[in-house]
Amino acid sequence: EDSGLYIVRHNSKKLTEDIVREMVLKGRGMSPEIEDATLRHLLSGDSEIVLVRGEKVLPTLRKVVGDKTNPNMCNEDTVRYIFGDHNPEKLDAGATYFRNAAHRPTDLEEQKKDKINFTRFT
């Protein structure tokens, strides 16, 4: 509320592998280890899928959700810092995976894709 964003629609849903592959993984160029960890994470329980609107949505979401994937590198008042997992999962080849508490688009292209997927999968 304080950010100036407001929730237009939301849906709590257990995602399927097909939805995660289409909505989150497709075209991201993740390593197989990170892709597998993301898939495990997003299939582990219900997800709250939220469509928000407001002024300057992208920069506001970056400020509210957090700017980094690693919650330890986010400001202490962000969603990722407060609710994120601060102890990474150790993957093969020395990679680490931080389970995020929230996804947010990084640019206008991703914002459009997320909005289309929200409509398709909720």
Side-chain angles (χ1 to χ4, degrees):
E1 262 179 25
D2 294 341
S3 71
L5 299 177
Y6 60 96
I7 296 172
V8 176
R9 262 178 46 202
H10 68 90
N11 188 3
S12 184
K13 182 174 189 147
K14 178 129 175 86
L15 301 177
T16 66
E17 184 173 339
D18 289 343
I19 289 172
V20 173
R21 289 195 182 283
E22 177 68 25
M23 226 170 113
V24 180
L25 302 176
K26 186 177 181 180
R28 299 236 185 210
M30 296 177 179
S31 72
E33 294 85 10
I34 298 293
E35 193 171 291
D36 288 345
T38 302
L39 190 60
R40 278 194 314 277
H41 172 56
L42 293 177
L43 296 178
S44 68
D46 286 353
S47 292
E48 189 71 22
I49 304 169
V50 181
L51 178 65
V52 298
R53 292 232 169 97
E55 294 292 319
K56 301 179 183 176
V57 172
L58 286 177
T60 303
L61 279 174
R62 288 180 83 91
K63 184 177 178 185
V64 171
V65 172
D67 203 30
K68 305 291 182 191
T69 305
N70 177 345
N72 299 310
M73 296 174 70
C74 293
N75 290 335
E76 292 181 5
D77 61 346
T78 62
V79 171
R80 286 182 175 171
Y81 185 88
I82 294 167
F83 298 105
D85 189 344
H86 293 264
N87 299 311
E89 178 182 343
K90 304 290 185 200
L91 305 174
D92 293 339
T96 56
Y97 179 77
F98 287 92
R99 288 184 291 272
N100 271 320
H103 163 75
R104 51 113 183 102
T106 56
D107 55 34
L108 286 173
E109 184 177 320
E110 189 174 3
Q111 180 183 3
K112 289 176 189 174
K113 178 184 171 195
D114 285 352
K115 185 175 178 184
I116 291 166
N117 285 327
F118 179 90
T119 304
R120 287 176 52 208
F121 296 119
T122 60

